[in-house]
Amino acid sequence: MYVENIVIGKPIVEPFTMFSLDEDDWNRVGRDKTYYTEERFLPKILVDIGIYPSVSEIRRNKPELMVELNKLDFIENLKVSKKRRLWILVGE
């Protein structure tokens, strides 16, 4: 599964408004690239979707990603590896 978008918790806006041009674009492209979770510890999410093999590797190589996402937020274009960027919508 290839993931570009992550939705954490229950967002206060519809995900398609943040990740796509319109609802048609969301249904064609965006929905399939979106991962939904209740997990808020970013390294655990990155391991779950297969970007990194373990949290300890993230701790060693990307310590700036060792964060807990607890506040409402929208993170655009987060560089998580050399070739991967993510967009993250954090809800309640």
Side-chain angles (χ1 to χ4, degrees), residues 78-91:
L78 176 67
K79 187 174 182 179
V80 293
S81 70
K82 285 183 181 180
K83 297 180 182 179
R84 293 289 299 272
R85 294 180 181 271
L86 296 174
W87 286 258
I88 303 173
L89 178 59
V90 183

Side-chain angles (χ1 to χ4, degrees), residues 1 16-17 31 43 54:
M1 162 165 130
F16 80 86
T17 62
R31 185 184 306 253
S54 68

Side-chain angles (χ1 to χ4, degrees), residues 62-80:
K62 288 286 212 173
E64 67 275 13
L65 297 178
M66 296 294 294
V67 295
E68 189 89 23
L69 301 169
N70 290 320
K71 295 187 279 185
L72 293 176
D73 201 357
F74 181 65
I75 302 167
E76 296 180 71
N77 215 12
L78 176 67
K79 187 174 182 179
V80 293

